[in-house]
Each structure stands twice: as C-alpha cells, then as structure tokens.
Amino acid sequence: MKRLSLFLLVLSIGCIQLFAQGTLQIQNGTYLVASGTPEIVLQNVSWKNNGTFTADSSTVNFNGTSSDTIAGSAVTNFYGLKINNTQDTVYLEKAISVTDSIYFIAGILNLNGNDITLGTDQGGLSGESETARITGANGGEIVKVLPLNAPSGTNPGNLGVSITSASNLSSTIVRRGHVAQDLSGSNSIERYYVIVPANNAGLNASVEVSYFDAELNGLTEADLESWHQTGTNWINYEPDMTDAVANTVDITLDTLGTFTLGEGALKLSPKVFLQGAYSSGTMNDNLRQANVLPTTEPYTGLGYTQVTGGGETIGAEVLAATGNDAIVDWIFLELRSKADSSVVVRTQSALLQRDGDIVGLDGVSPVNFS
C-alpha cells in the first residue's frame, strides 16, 4: 500500500487535495498545521495521526469511493469533519474530537468501538440522513456535554433527541450509541441514548427521540415504544405519541438516564392480596420495614424454573416507597400456553404493593412480558 509521509505542512486559506489509495500519515514528532480555514480533501486516502495536528478552523473532507480509516496513536482533534464517501464507509480506529461539526454529504461514519466527543459550544452533527449517517453496531458513542437550563425543544449536538423541561438540568452529558439492546429477550432498534444531567429529579421532561428506518433492526415501526433502563432491568412505557413518517417517538420522563426504542411488551396489572399480611383493606409491609426484602429475586435460588426471566434486581430506592405503594414482597408470575396450560412460555419476577397491585421492577409500572 502506498504511504504518504508528512513531516511539516502549513496550510493557509484554500484547499489541498490528496489523491491516492493510501494513507496520509503524520509521523511521531512531526506536525501538520492548518492555518485559517482550509479544506483538506482526502480522495480515497485514510488518516493516521501519530504526531500532532493543529486544526485551527479547517475541515478534513473524506471524499472518495473506497473504505477509509481514521487512526493513529494520537487522538485527532478536528475542527470540521466532512463525510462525502459515495460508495463506502469511513471507520474510526481511534477516538476523535470535533470542535465544530461533522458534515454528512454521502456515506457512513462507523464508530467501530470508538467515541466521538463534540465541542461544548457549536459542536454537532449536520445533514445526517438514511444514507449518510453514523453507525456503530460493535460499540462507541457520540458524546456532547452542555448546560441545559429550562430547555425548549433543545437537540444537543443535533444527536436526535429533543428535550423540553421547565427545570434547570445544569451541566448535562448526552451520549448516543448504536448497539441494539437486549430488552428482556427482545431487541431494540440500533440506537440508544444515555442522558445524565447534574440535576436529575422531578424534571417532567418531554423528550422526542428520533431514528432512521435503517436502524429499525427488523422491528415493526408502528409498534415502537420507549424502554428505560433501571439498574440492570429494562422497563417498557407507552409513549405519548409516535410518528412513523417523521421517525419520532415522544415520551415524558421525570428522570433522564438510559433509554431506547423497541416493540411494546405485554403489560399486565394483576392484583392479589396475601392472607397473612392482609389487614383492613391493605397488607402490612413489615418485611420491608425490617429491611429483610432482598434486592435480587429469590426464586432462582429456591429452584423455580425460569423461562426468559431470572436474576431480576431492584435498587434500594424502590424499597423506600411508603403508604399504599410500599412493597410487601416479591411475586413470581408465569404465562402459560392457552393451548396447553402445562406449558410455561414466559416467567417474570415482580413486586407486590400494599394495596394489592403487582408491579414491575421500578415499583410502580405494569409488569412487562416481551
């Protein structure tokens, strides 16, 4: 493979084009300095930074028809990055940062297990589409950090998640990844978000989640609902609105965290009273008050046969609820075949409230069966 070795190059305002089937390599101990606002066009040329790249206000343009890479022992801090690969993919082999924007004209930018950190101010994505976008089935995330004070339809870094809340979220980390999540036996779309604000309680936030058809992962678009991770568990919630034309799902959240989209689960809200704990219309929660309720379901250890379930856990905050929603005990549920009631098709460990409601692992929602 032909290699282009670069020792020292100073660029002024203008454009430099490199044509080759090889690599632009900044060797260890050497510098590439872009002065002003030039555009460095790589025509079927990969990027390997083992030295120092000073970007100033330049743009590096991957413009070609071959598979190219961004690699090197040093982290490259781009100002602008343009993806215009009409036939193939640009693969990250090293984490990078982008101060301004990643401009999508054509082709795919594959995270390939590496992160992209966007600039605090204007850093973001521009022009993503079904055929020009970021992917990353084997890991990596796009990361944006910014302050959010009473955001109104704010889409941090244009990552595809718009947030509205009257609260001051303060400094907020937004991460977007493209690994399909295991939602208790079913798969999510090939996109998820992790949003971590400094203030993360009582937000009453309206969140609009966007996606591309190419990320549906074989799921039925009309059946998409929101799934939220609580500890190691995924809880399914019905959305406020879905729009299969605009490719959006709207949800309301009091706290932000990790969430994705997947087909809606079967949601059950059974009710039962335990005779030993029953008293005047409700049950006592003596076990919870005595701190003897386990935070991991007890049925696996007791020899119960699990079908797609087992190992469910809850956070200590779930057991902090008092009143009628206080947790009395764990409950083991089985779904059996309507054709043969001896056949168990799904199992799920759930929780029992004082008022008899059987709820999911967040202590309040219906029980989900994928």
Side-chain angles (χ1 to χ4, degrees):
M1 177 180 291
K2 182 186 294 183
R3 174 175 294 172
L4 303 177
S5 296
L6 186 65
F7 296 94
L8 176 63
L9 178 62
V10 179
L11 303 174
S12 59
I13 296 175
C15 176
I16 180 172
Q17 296 189 32
L18 299 178
F19 300 86
Q21 291 290 335
T23 301
L24 187 158
Q25 178 168 308
I26 309 171
Q27 294 185 352
N28 185 27
T30 62
Y31 297 79
L32 171 60
V33 179
S35 177
T37 59
E39 181 166 291
I40 306 172
V41 181
L42 304 182
Q43 186 79 37
N44 296 326
V45 174
S46 290
W47 174 280
K48 189 171 186 179
N49 180 14
N50 292 332
T52 301
F53 172 56
T54 302
D56 201 359
S57 298
S58 65
T59 298
V60 175
N61 181 356
F62 284 86
N63 184 337
T65 58
S66 67
S67 173
D68 296 316
T69 61
I70 300 175
S73 59
V75 174
T76 299
N77 302 309
F78 294 101
Y79 180 78
L81 182 63
K82 186 178 293 185
I83 305 299
N84 191 14
N85 192 318
T86 57
Q87 301 294 326
D88 218 314
T89 300
V90 177
Y91 294 90
L92 290 188
E93 293 185 358
K94 181 75 173 181
I96 64 172
S97 66
V98 180
T99 301
D100 182 37
S101 294
I102 304 176
Y103 302 93
F104 288 90
I105 310 300
I108 301 299
L109 176 58
N110 192 319
L111 296 171
N112 196 31
N114 298 285
D115 288 352
I116 299 175
T117 301
L118 299 174
T120 302
D121 296 325
Q122 69 268 37
L125 309 182
S126 176
E128 266 198 306
S129 67
E130 291 286 349
T131 56
R133 57 191 173 86
I134 291 178
T135 64
N138 61 338
E141 296 176 327
I142 315 103
V143 185
K144 176 77 175 180
V145 181
L146 76 172
L148 292 176
N149 186 0
S152 179
T154 301
N155 184 358
N158 203 25
L159 293 184
V161 56
S162 297
I163 305 169
T164 299
S165 174
S167 300
N168 181 3
L169 283 63
S170 193
S171 179
T172 302
I173 304 170
V174 181
R175 309 178 73 96
R176 181 182 117 187
H178 292 273
V179 177
Q181 304 297 301
D182 182 356
L183 307 176
S184 304
S186 64
N187 289 325
S188 74
I189 66 171
E190 294 172 345
R191 180 184 290 217
Y192 68 88
Y193 290 94
V194 182
I195 304 180
V196 184
N199 301 320
N200 195 19
L203 303 181
N204 191 30
S206 297
V207 180
E208 183 176 84
V209 183
S210 300
Y211 59 91
F212 292 116
D213 289 337
E215 298 169 340
L216 284 172
N217 196 23
L219 303 181
T220 302
E221 189 169 10
D223 294 339
L224 291 181
E225 296 184 358
S226 60
W227 289 77
H228 308 263
Q229 192 170 43
T230 302
T232 59
N233 310 304
W234 285 96
I235 308 296
N236 175 213
Y237 298 93
E238 292 187 17
D240 299 326
M241 183 176 68
T242 60
D243 189 333
V245 176
N247 286 19
T248 58
V249 174
D250 292 359
I251 54 181
T252 300
L253 300 171
D254 268 343
T255 59
L256 299 173
T258 302
F259 53 91
T260 185
L261 302 177
E263 292 181 347
L266 172 65
K267 303 174 187 66
L268 299 180
S269 298
K271 199 174 185 74
V272 66
F273 287 95
L274 303 180
Q275 184 176 12
Y278 186 80
S279 176
S280 302
T282 61
M283 293 170 285
N284 66 61
D285 61 336
N286 294 345
L287 296 178
R288 182 193 67 84
Q289 293 184 44
N291 294 317
V292 296
L293 285 180
T295 55
T296 300
E297 58 84 12
Y299 303 105
T300 299
L302 294 173
Y304 283 67
T305 300
Q306 304 277 358
V307 182
T308 71
E312 293 89 351
T313 62
I314 58 174
E317 72 280 359
V318 175
L319 298 178
T322 59
N324 285 343
D325 289 342
I327 302 303
V328 172
D329 207 344
W330 284 86
I331 291 286
F332 185 72
L333 301 178
E334 296 177 339
L335 291 185
R336 294 177 175 252
S337 168
K338 67 179 182 180
D340 183 351
S341 61
S342 67
V343 176
V344 178
V345 295
R346 291 285 190 278
T347 61
Q348 173 74 49
S349 294
L351 301 168
L352 177 63
Q353 294 179 342
R354 286 191 63 197
D355 58 5
D357 293 333
I358 297 177
V359 295
L361 300 173
D362 61 354
V364 293
S365 301
V367 181
N368 299 163
F369 283 93
S370 296

